[in-house]
Amino acid sequence: MKVPFLSLKSVTEKYKDEIHEAALKVIDSGWYLQGSANEEFEKNYSNYIGTKYCVGCANGLDALIWIFRAYIEMGVMKKGDEVIVPANTYIATILAITENGLVPVLVEPDINTLQINENLIEEKITGKTKAITIVHLYGQCAYTDKIGELCKKYNLRLIEDNAQAHGCIFNGRKTGSLGDAAGHSFYPGKNLGALGDAGAVTTNDEELAQTIRSLANYGSAKKYVFKYQGRNSRLDEIQAAILDVKLKHLDEDVVLRKAVAKKYIEGIKNPCVTLPKVFDWNQHVFHIFPVLCERRDELQKYLNSKEIGTNIHYPIPPHKQEAYKEWNELSLPVTEKIHECELSLPMSPCLTDEEVSYVIKCINEWR
């Protein structure tokens, strides 16, 4: 049996007719940027997340970049200010900070949750700290009440990187509505994925939303009038229309993802494999199903021989990347352990019971 890590074709096939209809409607309209499809998706997505505003943009990295840039333009932050961020995130989270001349302050994760360790944050706060960025990595909620309290205590902005957690819930509220602003990626492989690059910012701050909308439109709120030195980072109409279709099915897809995760957690018994710890099933949407294994590369090679697709999220942590060579000598042992041991198993709303059972069987037979 062959089990792909992720078949985007299968995911898209589920809603093919609706997607074709939505795309054709845009094509026939003759209006391809900043039109009614964007307006409709932004309205529906902000309602889904539970915020007043949603601003579509070109991709998830830009969404985060625009949040920090807008805060600088608004005078909330300035270059040289510090932003606390998890050390084990995907590099895009950190790129958005340094792109704006801000200083990332890396905090180790909790090995049990793989999310930023709430108990290590306060010691990193200085007079220059202006924000905490949390990343709902792998689809698990990173927010905690303690993090919220720290933001209030020190008057810090809370930024969410919600690229991997569409549909995740914390105490009745969606991730993406828990902080002051959130960046969302709709990269095709995400739980809510476009058929190309796409992103958005959600917030309840009207000034922030308006500033981001201008920045992502060359710095303009009015045609040929430029308040900022912006860039072109707009969500195109076809992608907006496709996302609006898939948004209607997001919650049912999350249910299917959780069903796969439960089968893995109940079925995988190999002591060499550490499974994700789920403390609240509402707080995880399983964009990724990460396991930890000290013999990760051997396990991956074995699963490949069984035609089971896997991935590594991520093989090299940000502080060991050449792009941030000034950090290369840093010792962040928990982060490094995760990056050395993490292996992502197949995860999709399209996986069959037979495929999931085969993955479980193969892992349990590995020694």
Side-chain angles (χ1 to χ4, degrees):
M1 178 181 293
K2 189 171 185 178
V3 183
F5 174 70
L6 173 63
S7 171
L8 290 177
K9 183 177 180 181
S10 297
V11 172
T12 304
E13 185 76 19
K14 290 177 68 177
Y15 314 118
K16 180 177 70 173
D17 292 342
E18 292 176 77
I19 289 170
H20 283 186
E21 182 181 348
L24 188 60
K25 183 178 178 181
V26 172
I27 293 167
D28 288 345
S29 76
W31 194 285
Y32 308 128
L33 280 171
Q34 296 183 301
S36 59
N38 258 269
E39 292 175 3
E40 191 69 12
F41 173 68
E42 288 180 351
K43 179 187 72 175
N44 291 335
Y45 194 61
S46 62
N47 287 339
Y48 177 82
I49 293 296
T51 56
K52 293 179 182 177
Y53 307 102
C54 171
V55 182
C57 59
N59 53 68
L61 172 57
D62 276 5
L64 292 170
I65 287 173
W66 296 133
I67 291 170
F68 291 112
R69 172 72 186 279
Y71 277 133
I72 290 172
E73 296 290 352
M74 292 162 59
V76 174
M77 299 179 190
K78 65 181 184 303
K79 291 186 177 183
D81 284 341
E82 296 174 351
V83 178
I84 288 171
V85 64
N88 64 316
T89 185
Y90 181 56
I91 200 169
T93 320
I94 294 170
L95 289 171
I97 298 168
T98 56
E99 172 78 10
N100 284 289
L102 300 167
V103 180
V105 177
L106 305 180
V107 173
E108 287 264 63
D110 182 330
I111 193 64
N112 293 307
T113 65
L114 309 184
Q115 308 300 317
I116 191 168
N117 190 329
E118 64 175 10
N119 297 315
L120 300 179
I121 294 175
E122 191 165 18
E123 66 190 48
K124 299 287 188 177
I125 296 173
T126 72
K128 287 189 171 184
T129 307
K130 291 295 184 290
I132 298 173
T133 297
I134 56 173
V135 184
H136 306 299
L137 199 62
Y138 310 126
Q140 182 164 343
C141 181
Y143 179 84
T144 67
D145 288 329
K146 183 171 183 177
I147 291 173
E149 289 164 5
L150 287 172
C151 288
K152 289 178 182 176
K153 180 179 178 179
Y154 293 98
N155 191 28
L156 305 177
R157 293 299 195 275
L158 180 61
I159 315 300
E160 297 176 78
D161 182 337
N162 200 49
Q164 300 187 7
H166 313 118
C168 190
I169 297 171
F170 177 86
N171 289 351
R173 296 170 60 195
K174 295 281 197 331
T175 55
S177 71
L178 303 174
D180 295 283
H184 306 255
S185 169
F186 306 122
Y187 180 80
K190 305 297 187 183
N191 289 22
L192 178 60
L195 301 190
D197 272 323
V201 174
T202 54
T203 183
N204 287 315
D205 186 330
E206 182 178 10
E207 183 184 2
L208 183 72
Q210 290 177 346
T211 303
I212 289 170
R213 194 176 296 282
S214 295
L215 285 167
N217 186 38
Y218 298 98
S220 172
K222 182 180 178 182
K223 194 168 185 179
Y224 300 135
V225 178
F226 302 93
K227 184 176 181 179
Y228 311 107
Q229 296 177 23
R231 290 210 325 254
N232 176 7
S233 177
R234 299 176 299 207
L235 176 60
D236 76 66
E237 286 286 279
I238 288 181
Q239 297 301 345
I242 290 167
L243 286 167
D244 210 35
V245 168
K246 297 181 79 174
L247 178 60
K248 296 179 178 70
H249 303 285
L250 176 56
D251 286 343
E252 62 194 70
D253 280 351
V254 167
V255 169
L256 294 171
R257 286 176 176 273
K258 289 181 181 182
V260 172
K262 285 180 179 178
K263 289 186 177 76
Y264 280 151
I265 289 170
E266 291 170 1
I268 296 174
K269 304 296 183 183
N270 192 319
C272 298
V273 176
T274 300
L275 300 169
K277 294 179 176 63
V278 182
F279 302 98
D280 184 332
W281 281 90
N282 285 320
Q283 294 184 30
H284 210 318
V285 292
F286 293 98
H287 168 58
I288 299 297
F289 190 91
V291 301
L292 300 180
C293 178
E294 292 188 0
R295 294 160 54 208
R296 187 263 311 281
D297 294 344
E298 292 177 46
L299 176 57
Q300 185 177 43
K301 184 177 179 180
Y302 163 78
L303 292 175
N304 186 55
S305 74
K306 299 294 185 179
E307 297 192 286
I308 296 171
T310 59
N311 208 335
I312 296 172
H313 296 86
Y314 304 93
I316 305 173
H319 72 284
K320 296 297 184 183
Q321 298 284 354
E322 186 177 354
Y324 292 106
K325 53 182 176 290
E326 66 272 23
W327 293 341
N328 286 175
E329 299 306 313
L330 283 178
S331 175
L332 296 167
V334 180
T335 293
E336 289 158 21
K337 177 179 176 64
I338 292 169
H339 286 257
E340 289 166 1
C341 297
E342 193 277 340
L343 185 67
S344 302
L345 302 185
M347 173 53 69
S348 162
C350 298
L351 284 173
T352 66
D353 288 344
E354 186 181 15
E355 288 172 328
V356 175
S357 295
Y358 178 67
V359 173
I360 293 169
K361 174 178 177 292
C362 289
I363 291 176
N364 286 340
E365 289 176 351
W366 179 67
R367 294 293 181 268

